[in-house]
Amino acid sequence: MIHHLVRSAIIIISLIAAASPLTAGQDVSLPDTAAPSHRSGGLIGKIKRYLSESNEPRPSKKFDISFIGGPHYASDTKFGIGLVASGTYTRNLADTLTPRSDVALTADVSTVGFYMLGIHGNHRTMADRVRLVYDFRFYSFPTYYWGIGYEAGNRGDEYRSKYLEFSFGGNLRVLSRVAPGVYIGPAFGFKWLRAKKPRKPELWEGQKLKTVCLGVGLSLQYDTRDNLTAPTRGLLLSAEQRFYPRFMASPYSFASTEITLSGYYSVWHGGIVASRIHAMFSYGKVPWSMMPTFGGSYTMRGYYEGRYRDYDAVDLTVELRQNIYGRWGGAVWVGGASVFPRLDKFSLGKVLPEVGIGLRWEFKKASNVRLDYGLGRHSSGFVFSINEAF
């Protein structure tokens, strides 16, 4: 399900406006109000100047935020209106060594009944000693469920069940630096989900349509990336163990282990190879809504999120990101993923392939707006999002 962020072709409209001869390198200061202006251009001119200045650092501002949005179309959400706000901030303007914290807010509503509100970001304390990494969202979406397992997801669309999904949840990690590049700390997760009006309830095989899960755990990271939103060099190794015990509001008792390895390398001028391998394993009585899956805005963008789900999932992506001109860039990638009930059931023959191509525009410094198109096996998807997929 491509529901994590606003997505669609509105980015093309906004980027065309930004691609005018007025570039970020030109003088875009407002004219003296005492003299007539011949370059205001009315509302369109103001929008052009706003977009052309949006990626310029503003070190004199404690909080710097920019907005982009408008009408959009996507295959799953149809026509809608979306808004993305991306900002950076600092508590101390005199601290020039600590990277600025970042935050992104998203809102969307569409003609099929989809609506979403979300916020995610990275808050840093002085000298980047502590990081608060968070991601929270609420949404309502008419979507589909195929069942559990590779074989269920591999069946045709005629076997799926349409239902209305309401969900609220998020994740929070409080990471303290204990050595250069090494962060460790508690991780918390919460998810409330309800599936309403399923057309084929037998696909749930007796599982509850409403789930409430509250989890706690430990997160460990080795992180040498130059930034967290659009890395160009460095390495990220992350391991996280979470527990969802029955006494913490959940009718189920289960646990999960998540491992991620990402690397970023410069290959030529303006060219960055980004690679990521990600795996998630779950144990115990895992509800269908918490099973590992892939697809959507971040992993295997050519697949419908949630179509393939099981106790374990693994995915691999290698992506070339290339600056093309000024604030414009592009990306191409290849990837593969699979789900399986346990590790000894993993099969190369059940790895689903993917290729993709994307457009990038630097909305703010080290924060790209991206329009991606992924193509998988009998599947494809558009994604409009803020910041890179990984």
Side-chain angles (χ1 to χ4, degrees), residues 185-230:
F188 308 92
F190 170 77
K191 188 170 187 177
W192 176 92
L193 184 142
R194 183 179 181 185
K196 295 183 64 177
K197 302 176 181 178
R199 293 185 178 177
K200 298 180 180 180
E202 64 274 11
L203 290 181
W204 275 261
E205 299 178 346
Q207 288 211 43
K208 296 180 182 297
L209 298 181
K210 178 182 177 181
T211 57
V212 180
C213 300
L214 179 62
V216 296
L218 185 68
S219 182
L220 174 64
Q221 291 186 359
Y222 173 68
D223 189 359
T224 62
R225 294 173 294 174
D226 56 340
N227 68 80
L228 306 184
T229 50

Side-chain angles (χ1 to χ4, degrees), residues 335-354:
S338 189
V339 296
F340 39 95
R342 58 180 191 266
L343 191 57
D344 63 348
K345 293 294 184 179
F346 172 78
S347 171
L348 288 176
K350 294 182 178 180
V351 173
L352 296 160
E354 183 198 34

Side-chain angles (χ1 to χ4, degrees), residues 1-7 72 77 81-84 104-110 113-120 135-141 165 167 297-298 384-385:
M1 183 193 317
I2 308 173
H3 66 255
H4 288 292
L5 291 173
V6 189
R7 75 243 99 148
H72 65 79
T77 59
I81 298 291
L83 176 68
V84 175
L105 299 94
T106 58
D108 194 17
V109 59
S110 80
F114 166 76
Y115 55 88
M116 182 272 298
L117 293 171
I119 180 172
H120 67 273
D135 181 6
F136 298 95
R137 66 176 60 89
F138 165 76
Y139 66 86
S140 173
F141 188 55
E165 181 171 306
S167 179
S297 296
Y298 302 106
F384 171 44
S385 187

Side-chain angles (χ1 to χ4, degrees), residues 317-367:
T317 303
V318 179
E319 181 168 303
L320 172 63
R321 301 167 183 170
Q322 177 67 50
N323 175 258
I324 299 173
Y325 177 76
R327 295 163 67 179
W328 291 85
V332 293
W333 71 87
V334 296
S338 189
V339 296
F340 39 95
R342 58 180 191 266
L343 191 57
D344 63 348
K345 293 294 184 179
F346 172 78
S347 171
L348 288 176
K350 294 182 178 180
V351 173
L352 296 160
E354 183 198 34
V355 296
I357 187 169
L359 180 67
R360 301 290 184 271
W361 183 66
E362 190 181 58
F363 179 43
K364 297 191 72 66
K365 194 67 177 178
S367 183

Side-chain angles (χ1 to χ4, degrees), residues 90-92 95-101 123-131 175-183:
T90 180
R91 295 178 61 188
N92 184 3
D95 180 11
T96 59
L97 299 178
T98 304
R100 291 172 69 94
S101 301
H123 176 78
R124 309 175 195 240
T125 65
M126 186 70 71
D128 204 14
R129 287 191 291 264
V130 178
R131 294 177 178 178
L175 304 175
S176 300
R177 191 177 65 216
V178 295
V182 180
Y183 294 81

